[in-house]
Amino acid sequence: MEFRTFADVFLLLVRDGQVLLALRENTGYADGLWNLPSGKVEPDEDLASAMTREAREEIGMELHTEQVRLATVVHHRNPGEEARLGFFFEAAGPWAGDPVNAEPHKCGGIGWYPLESLPANTVPYTITGVDLYRRGLPYGPHGFWPPR
């Protein structure tokens, strides 16, 4: 059987030791939890293009593909679900403008939080990615993996 997986992109927008998080609402997944601006990679879309699209859609940031740098990868799996690869991108260099809640129908607000002290109600998949980023690690697994 051929291996296939879903791909997600996450934006690490960091300033002064704090990272931008968005509060999920009305999405059907992890509502009430904080998460990085993120989304799924669409068909025929490369990872960096997916990241810049999600940044524009979710927080109104116009980033170019050259402004995002791959920071870490998380191989994630919820119990009973298929695995996913989460590509965590750092916004590199200065960016123009301030982020806004560009999707109020899916987001209860945005806020800046210390990288080393995320809110208790943060999506665990996100916590793993932020932790790997903080420690400078390029990869880590998260979630339910059957014993080998």
Side-chain angles (χ1 to χ4, degrees), residues 11 13-15 20 52 55-56 59-64 66-68 91-100 110 112:
L11 181 63
L13 194 62
V14 178
R15 106 177 147 196
L20 183 76
T52 59
R56 183 177 53 260
I59 58 170
M61 297 292 295
E62 289 294 335
L63 299 173
H64 302 284
E66 309 83 49
Q67 289 177 281
V68 295
W95 60 83
D98 287 322
V100 297
I110 60 175
W112 295 93

Side-chain angles (χ1 to χ4, degrees), residues 107-128:
C107 177
I110 60 175
W112 295 93
Y113 293 91
L115 278 166
E116 63 281 338
S117 181
L118 300 179
N121 61 329
T122 299
V123 174
Y125 183 6
T126 294
I127 292 171
T128 298

Side-chain angles (χ1 to χ4, degrees), residues 15-29:
R15 106 177 147 196
D16 301 326
Q18 296 192 322
V19 64
L20 183 76
L21 298 178
L23 185 62
R24 299 182 61 86
E25 276 188 358
N26 304 315
T27 68
Y29 172 76

